[in-house]
Amino acid sequence: MAEKTEVLRLRDLAWQARVNLCKLCGSYGGNIHMGGDMSMMDVLTCLFHHTMKVGPEMEEDPKRDRFILSKGHGAACMYIVMALKGFFSYEEICETYGQAGSKFGQHPCKTHLPMLDVSTGSLGHGLAIAAGLAASAKQRGQNHRVFCMMGDGETCEGSVWEAAMTARAQKLGNLVAVVDRNRQLMTSFSEESICMDPYTDKWKAFGWNVVEIEDGNDMEQVTDALDSLENADAQIPTVVIANTVKGKGISFMERQIKWHAGSLNEKDLETALAELDAAREQQRKEQ
């Protein structure tokens, strides 16, 4: 199990990232994909600040881990988590987000942010690219890992399962898929549209090692799960299925279809920040 001090540090970072995301959403003139951003915030924070070997100083280091945000519409969340790691400043995100020519588009662009491993946005492509990167690393004798963050709705795409079969056949134990299992699509709840359950059994049937996080918004569970991952020299790829709540942390966003994407007016922003502060104070009392 992870040390308590480390879990608390990561929890504080995730709280700050949620605050920063809400402030960005309140200042930006368009919509931000808040629902999925908030659901994957804890996992993404743990990945960038605890699990993966990454950092601004490692941009050209071949030993660093690779990360692909296959659910590219979650870019704002990733930018903010990366800013807390020191890749760039939060202020720069706020000043230029979504503008023509900005490094911080609504989907990640490697041309504008060279430290990214790939541009993403078209759902269903990330895992195949990640499998290719993992296969290349294995052939070169490199021991870094390749992480790919997907949404559960994205895994309706057949290309995901083609990549899953290939990764198992190639024994890509250096590949880790992470699924933000918030059970919502853009316009409906997933089980009402596609019947994805039993979800873990599907990945097991494709021969993957499955790590399921009962509450993917509980930092202690997230940290313990990611700490349990196999080393890069393993023979079987791993999928981490994080059961999360879309819009987690803001009462009027949680499990609300309309908050797949949206913007915060002044009153909503005030309410959101107050709720985050209250939740953080309660956590501190319980520590």
Side-chain angles (χ1 to χ4, degrees):
M1 295 182 63
E3 293 185 3
K4 183 177 180 180
T5 54
E6 177 65 357
V7 173
L8 295 178
R9 182 184 75 87
L10 294 170
R11 190 178 290 167
D12 280 342
L13 284 169
W15 170 82
Q16 186 62 62
R18 281 190 167 90
V19 169
N20 290 354
L21 178 62
C22 285
K23 290 180 177 179
L24 174 64
C25 188
S27 63
Y28 178 58
N31 291 333
I32 292 178
H33 290 88
M34 293 294 291
D37 283 6
M38 298 293 268
S39 65
M40 71 176 181
M41 186 68 79
D42 303 286
V43 174
L44 206 62
T45 297
C46 188
L47 283 172
F48 270 92
H49 291 267
H50 177 77
T51 304
M52 297 192 301
K53 293 183 293 185
V54 295
E57 74 286 354
M58 298 181 71
E59 183 178 338
E60 302 297 331
D61 191 340
K63 296 180 181 179
R64 68 172 175 82
D65 289 331
R66 285 14 176 208
F67 177 78
I68 294 177
L69 181 67
S70 192
K71 53 174 291 185
H73 55 285
C77 175
M78 183 182 70
Y79 299 150
I80 286 172
V81 169
M82 291 178 70
L84 289 171
K85 184 76 173 179
F87 283 92
F88 32 73
S89 73
Y90 172 66
E91 290 72 22
E92 185 180 4
I93 300 172
C94 293
E95 289 169 1
T96 66
Y97 178 80
Q99 298 177 17
S102 171
K103 292 189 291 186
F104 308 105
Q106 293 186 3
H107 293 82
C109 178
K110 179 175 173 57
T111 301
H112 290 92
L113 281 178
M115 72 277 294
L116 301 181
D117 291 298
V118 66
S119 303
T120 55
S122 296
L123 297 178
H125 294 181
L127 188 61
I129 298 171
L133 290 175
S136 175
K138 187 174 182 180
Q139 291 169 3
R140 295 167 184 265
Q142 299 171 336
N143 63 358
H144 62 264
R145 291 184 291 191
V146 181
F147 292 81
C148 178
M149 169 72 82
M150 297 181 287
D152 54 352
E154 176 182 0
T155 61
C156 298
E157 297 281 357
S159 54
V160 170
W161 302 104
E162 292 179 29
M165 283 191 291
T166 300
R168 179 62 182 90
Q170 295 295 319
K171 300 180 180 180
L172 301 181
N174 55 343
L175 174 61
V176 181
V178 183
V179 179
D180 180 26
R181 180 77 166 115
N182 60 36
R183 297 175 177 266
Q184 285 182 228
L185 311 178
M186 183 171 69
T187 58
S188 68
F189 292 93
S190 60
E191 298 307 314
E192 296 174 351
S193 301
I194 200 67
C195 297
M196 302 172 76
D197 279 330
Y199 192 67
T200 57
D201 290 348
K202 289 179 172 60
W203 286 95
K204 290 177 181 178
F206 276 75
W208 282 53
N209 175 43
V210 177
V211 175
E212 186 168 16
I213 307 176
E214 182 178 353
D215 183 353
N217 298 124
D218 181 316
M219 188 59 77
E220 184 173 5
Q221 292 187 39
V222 170
T223 308
D224 286 345
L226 294 179
D227 280 352
S228 74
L229 296 177
E230 299 286 344
N231 293 327
D233 59 359
Q235 298 297 300
I236 300 175
T238 294
V239 59
V240 178
I241 300 173
N243 293 288
T244 62
V245 173
K246 202 162 185 175
K248 179 64 179 180
I250 309 299
S251 61
F252 58 82
M253 292 185 190
E254 290 187 359
R255 298 187 175 91
Q256 297 300 308
I257 296 296
K258 66 180 180 180
W259 272 103
H260 175 78
S263 60
L264 289 167
N265 59 36
E266 186 175 346
K267 181 179 179 181
D268 286 344
L269 176 59
E270 183 178 345
T271 299
L273 294 177
E275 289 188 0
L276 290 172
D277 285 344
R280 186 68 196 99
E281 286 305 311
Q282 183 60 37
Q283 285 180 338
R284 287 173 173 167
K285 291 177 181 178
E286 296 172 356
Q287 291 174 3

